[in-house]
Amino acid sequence: MFVVRFLGSMAVRSHRSKEVIYEAMRQVLAARAIHNIFRTAESHLVVTSKSLQLIDPQTQVPRISFQLRDVVQFAAHQENRRLMGFVVEGPEISEEVEPSLSTYVFESNTEGEKICYTISLGKELIEAEKDPEALALLMKSMPLTSDGKFLVLESETVGAVQNGAEEGLESEA
């Protein structure tokens, strides 16, 4: 679980490189500055082996959920380590119409690279589930709890949650 603030989203035409995400970050931040939008509400980004969920911290109700298989590209900003984004492929309407692509941009209390690493692990699990031997190898390489049910993350995430609670629900982006 990561404490994040949704900064914005936009449609994109390609997901072939991370440059699409960096450009979306630039445009979203520029639009927020032009329109004097500086406050954001915190959410919890939960990454599982099946989905990404943005959860309201007060009610614990999911605000939005994406299937992990639909996340086709993700990246952390190269200079501002707290920014990250991902591209989601929408449903294919017909064979003639290309699926829609949307980029979602977030600011996080932790480094965006850590979120990207977690998304990468989730996608690796999806691929490994197709091959039992690959899944066994992947599971052996991950630090799990003693019952083998949960991936052990660094305690930094807990500190980020506590710091986020002290700062309140709104932050300056």
Side-chain angles (χ1 to χ4, degrees):
M1 191 264 319
F2 300 95
V3 176
V4 298
R5 285 161 298 287
F6 174 70
L7 299 178
S9 65
M10 62 181 283
V12 293
R13 294 183 183 193
S14 171
H15 62 82
R16 300 285 179 225
S17 77
K18 293 181 180 185
E19 293 302 318
V20 170
I21 297 170
Y22 302 143
E23 180 60 20
M25 288 176 180
R26 188 190 69 71
Q27 288 187 25
V28 164
L29 292 174
R32 291 176 68 84
I34 289 168
H35 298 289
N36 292 319
I37 301 171
F38 298 106
R39 294 179 183 258
T40 59
E42 283 190 351
S43 297
H44 293 162
L45 180 66
V46 177
V47 182
T48 70
S49 63
K50 302 275 185 235
S51 67
L52 289 176
Q53 291 186 340
L54 204 59
I55 297 176
D56 182 298
Q58 266 77 38
T59 63
Q60 298 300 308
V61 174
R63 291 179 173 159
I64 193 166
S65 181
F66 304 102
Q67 293 299 312
L68 205 52
R69 69 175 179 269
D70 295 336
V71 176
V72 292
Q73 186 70 262
F74 48 93
H77 195 276
Q78 296 165 322
E79 294 164 9
N80 184 343
R81 304 254 182 237
R82 293 174 34 176
L83 294 178
M84 68 84 52
F86 54 84
V87 179
V88 176
E89 186 174 65
E92 191 173 320
I93 298 168
S94 69
E95 289 183 20
E96 296 95 34
V97 179
E98 299 244 350
S100 64
L101 297 169
S102 298
T103 301
Y104 294 83
V105 179
F106 297 90
E107 178 186 36
S108 174
N109 289 356
T110 58
E111 288 184 18
E113 283 295 330
K114 291 182 180 181
I115 299 172
C116 290
Y117 173 74
T118 306
I119 294 170
S120 179
L121 279 178
K123 291 186 82 61
E124 283 181 35
L125 278 171
I126 289 172
E127 288 303 311
E129 286 176 347
K130 298 173 186 173
D131 178 10
E133 290 178 18
L135 182 59
L137 286 173
L138 183 61
M139 295 305 285
K140 284 181 185 178
S141 69
M142 290 185 189
L144 300 174
T145 57
S146 59
D147 61 3
K149 291 184 179 178
F150 300 98
L151 177 63
V152 178
L153 298 175
E154 294 179 24
S155 60
E156 208 172 291
T157 304
V158 173
V161 170
Q162 291 170 345
N163 290 341
E166 292 170 10
E167 293 172 10
L169 294 177
E170 296 182 345
S171 74
E172 300 296 320

